[in-house]
Amino acid sequence: MAYIFKHLKEEIANIVAKDPAARGPWEVFFCYPGFHAVAFHRVTHWLWTHDIKFLARFLSNVAKILSGIEIHPGATIGRRLFIDHGTGVVIGETAEIGDDVTLYHGVTLGGTSLDVGKRHPTLEHGVIVGSGAQVLGPLLIGAGARIGANAVVLKDVPRGATMVGIPAKMAQRQRPEECEESFRAYGVTATSPDPVGQDLKGVHRQIEALCQRVQELEGRLAEAAPAKAAPARKSAKPRAVSAPPNEDGR
């Protein structure tokens, strides 16, 4: 239990550093539902791991009612998790979250299977998940990855990758240390590349190249084809000359 209260101060400081709207630690302590949800989870997770599961579930439900954030007490959460705004966030039982992760409102770390066992995603350190994003299944989201708003992630994400779209595609990739240098709210910025737009540009370039190739081939065929000779005029058939009639008309 000492761990629960030992790191509350650094979690508050982390929120103040990442949220320009936070005017100080006391405002975070009293007014930030994301902080309240994480603080409740520290207690409920301790109860869950000590086999006091009913009380853990009861308190987690109380935390959901108060904060609008649902975190299963079985989920494993690292240090300095920042849940910004937070309404509608759902974190499943077997989810694992590393240090310095940021989640925005409407995020779901959910499962796609009813089987017992690992069925929720694992987020390594420094991951940012934008608002409304869905990360579904026992996936591995690599360190420093960025999940854009409303993206639906259905497969593993490499370290430092930025994923956007439905289903999510990689828009760009950076080294995790580069991601740590610049914190990008909601996972992406206005200048982040659009993978769908990039695909369409690639298709357009291919079509232009194919059209140019077809024109070249048509030109070569025209040059190689033998010139067609003009059709010869048909000679008229000679008309038969009849012999003049003799005196008796024969």
mmCIF file of all heavy atoms in Angstrom, residues 129-151:
data_model
loop_
_atom_site.group_PDB
_atom_site.id
_atom_site.type_symbol
_atom_site.label_atom_id
_atom_site.label_comp_id
_atom_site.label_asym_id
_atom_site.label_seq_id
_atom_site.Cartn_x
_atom_site.Cartn_y
_atom_site.Cartn_z
ATOM 1 N N VAL A 129 -2.314 7.526 -26.911
ATOM 2 C CA VAL A 129 -3.499 7.033 -27.615
ATOM 3 C C VAL A 129 -4.509 8.167 -27.674
ATOM 4 O O VAL A 129 -4.992 8.646 -26.640
ATOM 5 C CB VAL A 129 -4.106 5.799 -26.920
ATOM 6 C CG1 VAL A 129 -5.259 5.251 -27.756
ATOM 7 C CG2 VAL A 129 -3.046 4.726 -26.712
ATOM 8 N N GLY A 130 -4.836 8.624 -28.893
ATOM 9 C CA GLY A 130 -5.722 9.757 -29.085
ATOM 10 C C GLY A 130 -7.176 9.434 -28.771
ATOM 11 O O GLY A 130 -7.580 8.271 -28.643
ATOM 12 N N SER A 131 -7.978 10.477 -28.676
ATOM 13 C CA SER A 131 -9.377 10.330 -28.257
ATOM 14 C C SER A 131 -10.163 9.444 -29.219
ATOM 15 O O SER A 131 -10.021 9.522 -30.430
ATOM 16 C CB SER A 131 -10.031 11.711 -28.172
ATOM 17 O OG SER A 131 -9.939 12.374 -29.423
ATOM 18 N N GLY A 132 -10.992 8.583 -28.652
ATOM 19 C CA GLY A 132 -11.850 7.713 -29.438
ATOM 20 C C GLY A 132 -11.176 6.522 -30.068
ATOM 21 O O GLY A 132 -11.835 5.737 -30.753
ATOM 22 N N ALA A 133 -9.890 6.351 -29.866
ATOM 23 C CA ALA A 133 -9.177 5.234 -30.484
ATOM 24 C C ALA A 133 -9.531 3.921 -29.792
ATOM 25 O O ALA A 133 -9.788 3.887 -28.590
ATOM 26 C CB ALA A 133 -7.668 5.460 -30.426
ATOM 27 N N GLN A 134 -9.543 2.863 -30.591
ATOM 28 C CA GLN A 134 -9.848 1.530 -30.075
ATOM 29 C C GLN A 134 -8.646 0.617 -30.345
ATOM 30 O O GLN A 134 -8.260 0.433 -31.504
ATOM 31 C CB GLN A 134 -11.086 0.950 -30.770
ATOM 32 C CG GLN A 134 -12.249 1.914 -30.885
ATOM 33 C CD GLN A 134 -12.868 2.235 -29.547
ATOM 34 O OE1 GLN A 134 -13.296 1.334 -28.825
ATOM 35 N NE2 GLN A 134 -12.927 3.508 -29.195
ATOM 36 N N VAL A 135 -8.080 0.070 -29.292
ATOM 37 C CA VAL A 135 -6.970 -0.881 -29.419
ATOM 38 C C VAL A 135 -7.510 -2.215 -28.913
ATOM 39 O O VAL A 135 -7.771 -2.372 -27.718
ATOM 40 C CB VAL A 135 -5.746 -0.427 -28.609
ATOM 41 C CG1 VAL A 135 -4.570 -1.363 -28.868
ATOM 42 C CG2 VAL A 135 -5.369 1.006 -28.958
ATOM 43 N N LEU A 136 -7.677 -3.163 -29.829
ATOM 44 C CA LEU A 136 -8.461 -4.352 -29.517
ATOM 45 C C LEU A 136 -7.649 -5.625 -29.693
ATOM 46 O O LEU A 136 -7.040 -5.843 -30.743
ATOM 47 C CB LEU A 136 -9.696 -4.407 -30.431
ATOM 48 C CG LEU A 136 -10.582 -3.158 -30.429
ATOM 49 C CD1 LEU A 136 -11.696 -3.296 -31.438
ATOM 50 C CD2 LEU A 136 -11.136 -2.878 -29.043
ATOM 51 N N GLY A 137 -7.658 -6.448 -28.657
ATOM 52 C CA GLY A 137 -6.984 -7.737 -28.719
ATOM 53 C C GLY A 137 -5.675 -7.739 -27.959
ATOM 54 O O GLY A 137 -5.195 -6.702 -27.487
ATOM 55 N N PRO A 138 -5.035 -8.902 -27.843
ATOM 56 C CA PRO A 138 -3.769 -9.030 -27.118
ATOM 57 C C PRO A 138 -2.599 -8.513 -27.956
ATOM 58 O O PRO A 138 -1.671 -9.255 -28.293
ATOM 59 C CB PRO A 138 -3.676 -10.533 -26.846
ATOM 60 C CG PRO A 138 -4.410 -11.154 -27.988
ATOM 61 C CD PRO A 138 -5.539 -10.218 -28.318
ATOM 62 N N LEU A 139 -2.646 -7.246 -28.305
ATOM 63 C CA LEU A 139 -1.646 -6.642 -29.175
ATOM 64 C C LEU A 139 -0.498 -6.073 -28.362
ATOM 65 O O LEU A 139 -0.625 -5.815 -27.166
ATOM 66 C CB LEU A 139 -2.285 -5.522 -29.999
ATOM 67 C CG LEU A 139 -3.610 -5.839 -30.693
ATOM 68 C CD1 LEU A 139 -4.118 -4.606 -31.423
ATOM 69 C CD2 LEU A 139 -3.446 -6.999 -31.649
ATOM 70 N N LEU A 140 0.605 -5.834 -29.049
ATOM 71 C CA LEU A 140 1.751 -5.154 -28.444
ATOM 72 C C LEU A 140 1.925 -3.817 -29.145
ATOM 73 O O LEU A 140 2.188 -3.763 -30.347
ATOM 74 C CB LEU A 140 3.013 -6.000 -28.582
ATOM 75 C CG LEU A 140 4.298 -5.349 -28.049
ATOM 76 C CD1 LEU A 140 4.184 -5.096 -26.545
ATOM 77 C CD2 LEU A 140 5.517 -6.208 -28.360
ATOM 78 N N ILE A 141 1.781 -2.747 -28.390
ATOM 79 C CA ILE A 141 1.977 -1.396 -28.912
ATOM 80 C C ILE A 141 3.356 -0.950 -28.461
ATOM 81 O O ILE A 141 3.593 -0.746 -27.263
ATOM 82 C CB ILE A 141 0.892 -0.426 -28.401
ATOM 83 C CG1 ILE A 141 -0.503 -1.035 -28.589
ATOM 84 C CG2 ILE A 141 1.024 0.908 -29.099
ATOM 85 C CD1 ILE A 141 -0.842 -1.377 -30.016
ATOM 86 N N GLY A 142 4.285 -0.818 -29.404
ATOM 87 C CA GLY A 142 5.679 -0.569 -29.083
ATOM 88 C C GLY A 142 5.923 0.775 -28.420
ATOM 89 O O GLY A 142 5.114 1.709 -28.515
ATOM 90 N N ALA A 143 7.059 0.875 -27.763
ATOM 91 C CA ALA A 143 7.425 2.090 -27.037
ATOM 92 C C ALA A 143 7.422 3.298 -27.970
ATOM 93 O O ALA A 143 7.892 3.242 -29.099
ATOM 94 C CB ALA A 143 8.799 1.923 -26.409
ATOM 95 N N GLY A 144 6.864 4.411 -27.469
ATOM 96 C CA GLY A 144 6.860 5.655 -28.230
ATOM 97 C C GLY A 144 5.872 5.703 -29.372
ATOM 98 O O GLY A 144 5.868 6.666 -30.143
ATOM 99 N N ALA A 145 5.014 4.698 -29.497
ATOM 100 C CA ALA A 145 4.037 4.695 -30.598
ATOM 101 C C ALA A 145 2.963 5.744 -30.353
ATOM 102 O O ALA A 145 2.688 6.129 -29.216
ATOM 103 C CB ALA A 145 3.404 3.318 -30.739
ATOM 104 N N ARG A 146 2.357 6.200 -31.448
ATOM 105 C CA ARG A 146 1.285 7.187 -31.405
ATOM 106 C C ARG A 146 0.064 6.606 -32.117
ATOM 107 O O ARG A 146 0.162 6.189 -33.264
ATOM 108 C CB ARG A 146 1.709 8.489 -32.086
ATOM 109 C CG ARG A 146 3.010 9.096 -31.537
ATOM 110 C CD ARG A 146 2.790 9.651 -30.140
ATOM 111 N NE ARG A 146 3.946 10.372 -29.647
ATOM 112 C CZ ARG A 146 4.786 9.904 -28.739
ATOM 113 N NH1 ARG A 146 4.620 8.671 -28.270
ATOM 114 N NH2 ARG A 146 5.784 10.646 -28.302
ATOM 115 N N ILE A 147 -1.068 6.605 -31.440
ATOM 116 C CA ILE A 147 -2.319 6.136 -32.030
ATOM 117 C C ILE A 147 -3.212 7.356 -32.216
ATOM 118 O O ILE A 147 -3.599 8.006 -31.249
ATOM 119 C CB ILE A 147 -3.023 5.093 -31.139
ATOM 120 C CG1 ILE A 147 -2.034 3.993 -30.709
ATOM 121 C CG2 ILE A 147 -4.218 4.523 -31.861
ATOM 122 C CD1 ILE A 147 -1.435 3.225 -31.843
ATOM 123 N N GLY A 148 -3.540 7.671 -33.470
ATOM 124 C CA GLY A 148 -4.326 8.859 -33.761
ATOM 125 C C GLY A 148 -5.766 8.729 -33.283
ATOM 126 O O GLY A 148 -6.278 7.637 -33.030
ATOM 127 N N ALA A 149 -6.453 9.868 -33.184
ATOM 128 C CA ALA A 149 -7.836 9.900 -32.730
ATOM 129 C C ALA A 149 -8.716 9.041 -33.634
ATOM 130 O O ALA A 149 -8.583 9.059 -34.856
ATOM 131 C CB ALA A 149 -8.350 11.340 -32.709
ATOM 132 N N ASN A 150 -9.607 8.262 -32.996
ATOM 133 C CA ASN A 150 -10.603 7.423 -33.673
ATOM 134 C C ASN A 150 -10.002 6.276 -34.485
ATOM 135 O O ASN A 150 -10.731 5.613 -35.235
ATOM 136 C CB ASN A 150 -11.508 8.255 -34.575
ATOM 137 C CG ASN A 150 -12.327 9.266 -33.781
ATOM 138 O OD1 ASN A 150 -12.885 8.932 -32.742
ATOM 139 N ND2 ASN A 150 -12.386 10.494 -34.256
ATOM 140 N N ALA A 151 -8.724 6.028 -34.348
ATOM 141 C CA ALA A 151 -8.113 4.895 -35.048
ATOM 142 C C ALA A 151 -8.586 3.586 -34.418
ATOM 143 O O ALA A 151 -8.905 3.528 -33.231
ATOM 144 C CB ALA A 151 -6.595 4.988 -34.986
#
